[in-house]
Amino acid sequence: MPIDAITSLHLTREWNRLLERGGHHRRTKQPRPLSAKTVRNIAGVVSSAFARAIRWGLIPTNPATNSEPPRVKKHYGIALTAVQQAMVFETASGPWCMAAFLEVAAALGARRGEVLALRWLHIKDGRVTIARSLTQTKQGLTFKETKTGRPRVVKVPESTLATIEGHRKHQYEFRRQFGPDYMADLDLIFANPDGTPLKPDSVSATVSVLFRRLKLPIGASLHSLRHTHTSHLLADGVPLPVVSARLGHSSVRVTAEIYSHMIHGQDDEAARRWDEFQRQNLPAKQVGGVQ
């Protein structure tokens, strides 16, 4: 079909087709539905292509503008209770360093790949510099920039520093055993016994099995530790900009949009301060009464 013959109706029908059978199963190659988020992302790419076609003078209008891609339902991340999180740390299994990895991930609120890419040289004076991420593709494992492309420095809780030091001693034994065969040049904090990188997908799969075994809420995953970190800080009244910087979001607005439902502590504090303002500025008989 010529590009100038494509209409909004054509595109809307295509979005619906993708929702029903736009993907395929890896093994059977049979059609499967695509998620609403994936279809919206595709619609965005198509819209950008039409916008460029307009600039080139190929078409007068963008048919994607008035098409109807699916709406994406908001899914709130699952946060664990303090008891659930402690249970995860205590019963962690899989790679030798899993317990320490989970505790550090929870304490930093960092993304999976960011924690797996940490090097020992990144820790100094009780702070860690998160400057890169480990990704897994069909081509293998790759270190790349963080999601925002900007490094950030995060304070490590004292209790977690103790865990990291214990982990360092354990890892040193592996380094000694492997000798020159240990991948010391990678300097990874969390790695296989020979110092090579852990596979992110395998780590997530191991954590999912652990969570199911512990009968944690359906939908809980490794990323839930990041949500747990955020929810507890916000509920305790830590300022939103501080939490946003710790998470490595591109802006405070992003943090607010994702975690607005978790900002209970600050709301409670706002109410308390209003009462305090009322007490200071109104006669005693008027405070808490109806006038």
Side-chain angles (χ1 to χ4, degrees):
M1 179 181 292
I3 188 173
D4 58 355
I6 298 175
T7 67
S8 299
L9 179 58
H10 289 133
L11 293 178
T12 298
R13 287 173 175 170
E14 178 61 13
W15 310 149
N16 291 333
R17 185 193 70 81
L18 293 174
L19 279 174
E20 294 176 1
R21 56 183 187 282
H24 66 272
H25 293 281
R26 290 184 179 180
R27 293 183 179 177
T28 65
K29 304 302 179 183
Q30 293 297 312
R32 68 171 180 83
L34 290 180
S35 69
K37 182 178 180 181
T38 299
V39 175
R40 283 198 73 91
N41 288 341
I42 293 172
V45 173
V46 171
S47 181
S48 297
F50 277 116
R52 175 159 297 186
I54 292 174
R55 290 196 297 271
W56 289 348
L58 300 177
I59 53 175
T61 59
N62 186 343
T65 302
N66 293 319
S67 68
E68 299 176 15
R71 293 179 178 273
V72 179
K73 294 181 180 179
K74 282 191 175 182
H75 295 284
Y76 295 123
I78 295 174
L80 307 180
T81 65
V83 172
Q84 289 173 331
Q85 183 171 266
M87 187 167 54
V88 167
F89 299 159
E90 292 171 2
T91 60
S93 59
W96 70 276
C97 58
M98 183 57 74
F101 167 80
L102 291 174
E103 184 172 342
V104 171
L108 300 182
R111 302 175 181 91
R112 174 189 68 178
E114 293 174 341
V115 180
L116 291 175
L118 289 177
R119 305 176 69 186
W120 286 109
L121 61 82
H122 288 149
I123 297 182
K124 185 177 181 181
D125 299 329
R127 298 181 184 276
V128 62
T129 299
I130 300 175
R132 62 180 191 165
S133 180
L134 178 64
T135 60
Q136 182 175 349
T137 66
K138 292 181 180 179
Q139 288 69 42
L141 302 179
T142 306
F143 292 102
K144 65 173 188 177
E145 292 182 331
T146 60
K147 193 171 184 179
T148 61
R150 299 193 302 266
R152 65 188 188 276
V153 179
V154 176
K155 173 67 176 176
V156 183
E158 291 296 328
S159 58
T160 306
L161 284 175
T163 297
I164 291 175
E165 283 307 308
H167 167 75
R168 187 200 293 264
K169 293 177 182 178
H170 195 171
Q171 189 181 62
Y172 178 78
E173 290 302 313
F174 284 121
R175 294 182 69 142
R176 186 177 60 80
Q177 292 172 19
F178 279 88
D181 293 327
Y182 188 87
M183 299 296 289
D185 57 328
L186 293 179
D187 194 37
L188 292 172
I189 296 178
F190 299 106
N192 289 306
D194 63 353
T196 55
L198 293 166
K199 293 183 178 180
D201 289 352
S202 297
V203 171
S204 290
T206 299
V207 174
S208 294
V209 171
L210 171 64
F211 281 17
R212 287 197 297 271
R213 191 173 78 238
L214 295 176
K215 294 181 171 49
L216 295 182
I218 296 175
S221 65
L222 175 56
H223 204 68
S224 297
L225 296 180
R226 181 170 165 88
H227 289 302
T228 302
H229 179 90
T230 307
S231 65
H232 288 312
L233 292 185
L234 291 176
D236 203 39
V238 177
L240 191 60
V242 175
V243 176
S244 182
R246 193 170 180 86
L247 295 176
H249 283 160
S250 57
S251 69
V252 176
R253 179 181 176 183
V254 172
T255 312
E257 288 178 349
I258 298 174
Y259 294 104
S260 60
H261 63 295
M262 293 181 174
I263 310 178
H264 306 305
Q266 292 186 40
D267 185 56
D268 293 346
E269 178 65 10
R272 187 192 67 77
R273 292 190 181 187
W274 176 255
D275 281 340
E276 185 176 321
F277 168 77
Q278 292 287 83
R279 284 193 296 271
Q280 292 175 352
N281 293 279
L282 292 177
K285 64 179 182 179
Q286 290 182 295
V287 178
V290 180
Q291 301 297 322

